[in-house]
Amino acid sequence: MNITGFIFFLAIIIGTLAITYSAAKRLVNTKDFYAAGHRLTGFQNGLAIAGDYMSAASFLGITGAIALFGFDGFLYSIGFLVSYLVILLVIAEPMHNLGRYTLGDSIAVRFKASRLRGMIALNTLAIAIIYMIAQLVGAGALIHLLLDLDYATSVLIVGTLMTVYVTFGGMVATSWVQIVKTIILISGTLLISLIVLARFDWSFYNMFSFVAAATPHGSQFLSPGNQFSDPIDTISLLLTLALGTAGLPHIIVRFFTVKDAVTVRRSVFTAAWVIGLFYIMTVFLGFGAASFVSYNKLQNSSFGSNLAAPLLAYALGGDFLMAFVSAVAFATILAVVAGLVISASSAFAHDFYSNIFRKGTASDKEQMYAAKLSSIGVGIISILLAIGTEKLNVAFLVSLAFAVAASTNLPLILFTLFWRRFNTAGAIAGMTTGFFSSVILVLFSPNMMHPTNGLIYAEPVFPLANPGIVSIPLGFIAAYIGTVISKNNQGNRYEEVLFQAQTGIRVNDPGN
């Protein structure tokens, strides 16, 4: 056991539990639990959004992908960053103006159908669980490496902590855990990046030249094609990453934690700058790992390439620096899983339980009780699934969540905001088609099927690793066809939605 690492981990656990304890004393009603009372400033919410977004896939998965595949690994960083242009210009302000706590709230301004709201809630739960598995896989690998605990035990520890944060602290605790995590992550990443650059005499040319010579790819390491040899697969991945963020429920709920649209724009602007800075630094982390950690060690690690960042820290500064970087990654995972749990529990308690099962009559106390129970359920399911998928690269798991979000929620949001004829039948058709097409195609893709080392021992049926280029258009097409075929346009309040989305003025409060 790394004693220094144990101290760092313990400090993070005590600190985050202290934040939760403080937040619990301020948790008065459902508005506090779901949306932190709409009290966060733009800067605070921007840091929280960044903390919610910069996940284990970013810090661990992308660093490992760059270390093994060079330029192709950096494509993840590009896709993740570009997605915030879509959010800033199209999604953030209208979603805030329409909703109160969840995506279901925003859509309910136009469509009252219980079936649709239930589908949105179930889809939110599915995306949150898929995304959460990636974080728990990374957490299990980290704790196993540093503290020599069993992988399953490590996953259980993180799963328990994330449930405690949400159950007792709600969105208030989740937000402040994410803010603190962002500060720690940026500081730690900057420190490692500066050390790596210093090893090359502060010369980018020296770094690129050395890395090209140190890997089996040679000069090709700096060019595309090491991981993604199929241009269609590359386009599919980038399309999924660029469009998927706008449909991620745990990002959307952050638009409801501030008081007005101006603050939402400041939030997204702050988040984009912080996230952009971080993704630039993933180049230094990835190239540093390729230079100072044995390529074979990265490739043959029992946890795939997910430990490239801690192994780099060990190569640069021994046990102490590795313990620090591992603790940073641990804080990263805790913050993200807390955000995922709060979005899932809010969807269940507010959308399904309160608005569908109780038809809007549930009290604050009942909703909070349902949210806490759903948090426990989501945590248990995620832990069990994470234990069975420890070998998968976490960046791939997150890309699956992005594919589902882009194929289901994005058509729903855009057509709700900008297509007058869009109706409930089209919304249901689009979500159903987008969800099942993305999941089924992934199940039959090379990431899941392989004759010798896949989760399914067979030749892949679908040739692309990422289904976005197929499933995203299918979601839009199904929404269009479902709308055109259906002649029922009753209750379609497009003018009201358009006015409220642009002004924030609630003409006819739907009682969300």
Side-chain angles (χ1 to χ4, degrees):
M1 178 180 290
N2 186 317
I3 300 302
T4 305
F6 177 79
I7 294 172
F8 276 130
F9 275 59
L10 188 62
I12 288 175
I13 291 173
I14 293 174
T16 51
L17 288 177
I19 291 173
T20 303
Y21 176 75
S22 175
K25 294 191 294 184
R26 291 178 284 165
L27 203 64
V28 178
N29 51 37
T30 51
K31 184 168 71 170
D32 294 325
F33 188 92
Y34 295 139
H38 310 300
R39 292 189 297 266
L40 295 182
T41 66
F43 183 71
Q44 291 170 345
N45 198 42
L47 293 179
I49 290 173
D52 216 349
Y53 194 66
M54 295 183 301
S55 63
S58 300
F59 189 55
L60 300 177
I62 293 178
T63 298
I66 294 175
L68 290 180
F69 306 110
F71 182 90
D72 282 4
F74 188 60
L75 289 177
Y76 285 102
S77 295
I78 296 172
F80 285 146
L81 179 58
V82 169
S83 64
Y84 270 82
L85 292 176
V86 179
I87 291 178
L88 179 62
L89 299 176
V90 182
I91 301 296
E93 187 175 337
M95 285 293 99
H96 169 83
N97 289 339
L98 290 175
R100 286 180 171 173
Y101 306 129
T102 66
L103 173 61
D105 279 349
S106 300
I107 304 302
V109 175
R110 183 168 180 181
F111 304 118
K112 288 285 194 178
S114 297
R115 282 189 305 164
L116 177 58
R117 189 157 194 159
M119 287 184 64
I120 295 172
L122 291 175
N123 187 59
T124 296
L125 289 169
I127 293 172
I129 289 173
I130 293 171
Y131 210 128
M132 209 175 312
I133 292 170
Q135 314 309 313
L136 294 177
V137 168
L142 271 174
I143 298 176
H144 176 77
L145 170 73
L146 207 63
L147 305 183
D148 199 28
L149 294 178
D150 179 70
Y151 172 80
T153 303
S154 303
V155 170
L156 183 61
I157 290 173
V158 178
T160 302
L161 286 171
M162 73 186 185
T163 305
V164 169
Y165 298 153
V166 176
T167 301
F168 295 100
M171 181 60 84
V172 179
T174 299
S175 297
W176 282 103
V177 168
Q178 290 166 345
I179 290 169
V180 172
K181 163 271 180 92
T182 298
I183 296 172
I184 295 175
L185 178 62
I186 293 296
S187 301
T189 307
L190 178 61
L191 173 64
I192 298 299
S193 299
L194 292 176
I195 294 174
V196 169
L197 196 56
R199 290 291 184 96
F200 295 106
D201 297 324
W202 307 99
S203 170
F204 293 102
Y205 177 79
N206 290 344
M207 182 177 69
F208 291 155
S209 300
F210 185 89
V211 170
T215 66
H217 300 290
S219 60
Q220 179 62 30
F221 190 76
L222 305 177
S223 303
N226 298 314
Q227 182 181 13
F228 305 111
S229 56
D230 186 349
I232 302 299
D233 210 353
T234 306
I235 294 172
S236 183
L237 172 66
L238 292 176
L239 186 67
T240 300
L241 298 180
L243 298 180
T245 305
L248 290 176
H250 67 288
I251 298 298
I252 291 175
V253 296
R254 296 237 56 95
F255 304 150
F256 307 125
T257 59
V258 295
K259 61 182 179 178
D260 53 37
V262 173
T263 312
V264 169
R265 289 196 296 272
R266 289 173 181 165
S267 299
V268 179
F269 189 75
T270 299
W273 274 102
V274 174
I275 292 168
L277 175 63
F278 170 78
Y279 283 132
I280 289 173
M281 291 190 292
T282 59
V283 175
F284 299 103
L285 269 61
F287 280 19
S291 301
F292 303 116
V293 181
S294 166
Y295 190 87
N296 290 333
K297 187 174 183 179
L298 288 172
Q299 198 170 36
N300 299 324
S301 170
S302 60
F303 292 99
S305 58
N306 296 329
L307 296 181
L311 291 175
L312 168 63
Y314 180 77
L316 296 176
D319 285 338
F320 181 86
L321 192 58
M322 182 180 72
F324 173 72
V325 170
S326 298
V328 169
F330 182 62
T332 294
I333 293 166
L334 289 180
V336 174
V337 293
L340 292 165
V341 172
I342 192 70
S343 67
S345 61
S346 297
F348 178 85
H350 182 65
D351 291 326
F352 184 78
Y353 176 76
S354 178
N355 283 279
I356 297 176
F357 183 71
R358 294 296 305 277
K359 302 186 184 302
T361 62
S363 65
D364 275 4
K365 183 177 180 180
E366 291 173 328
Q367 285 193 62
M368 290 182 68
Y369 184 69
K372 292 176 181 181
L373 287 180
S374 64
S375 300
I376 297 172
V378 169
I380 292 173
I381 294 172
S382 301
I383 289 169
L384 293 176
L385 291 175
I387 290 173
T389 55
E390 63 180 278
K391 298 291 185 181
L392 293 180
N393 186 289
V394 291
F396 153 68
L397 290 171
V398 171
S399 69
L400 170 58
F402 274 67
V404 175
S407 304
T408 56
N409 289 339
L410 188 62
L412 174 69
I413 293 171
L414 294 183
F415 282 164
T416 296
L417 292 175
F418 303 113
W419 188 20
R420 183 184 302 274
R421 191 176 174 182
F422 190 47
N423 59 25
T424 303
I428 293 175
M431 289 197 70
T432 303
T433 302
F435 180 84
F436 284 105
S437 63
S438 56
V439 171
I440 290 172
L441 290 177
V442 164
L443 288 176
F444 292 102
S445 73
N447 279 316
M448 300 295 288
M449 299 183 71
H450 194 277
T452 57
N453 59 0
L455 292 180
I456 302 174
Y457 294 101
E459 292 290 344
V461 176
F462 182 67
L464 303 180
N466 192 287
I469 199 168
V470 176
S471 62
I472 296 173
L474 283 177
F476 279 95
I477 292 170
Y480 174 81
I481 293 176
T483 299
V484 172
I485 292 177
S486 173
K487 300 191 181 296
N488 181 11
N489 212 29
Q490 185 177 0
N492 189 344
R493 300 185 297 276
Y494 177 72
E495 286 76 14
E496 177 185 330
V497 167
L498 184 63
F499 181 78
Q500 184 172 322
Q502 300 304 318
T503 66
I505 301 174
R506 299 176 183 269
V507 179
N508 183 21
D509 195 321
N512 292 325

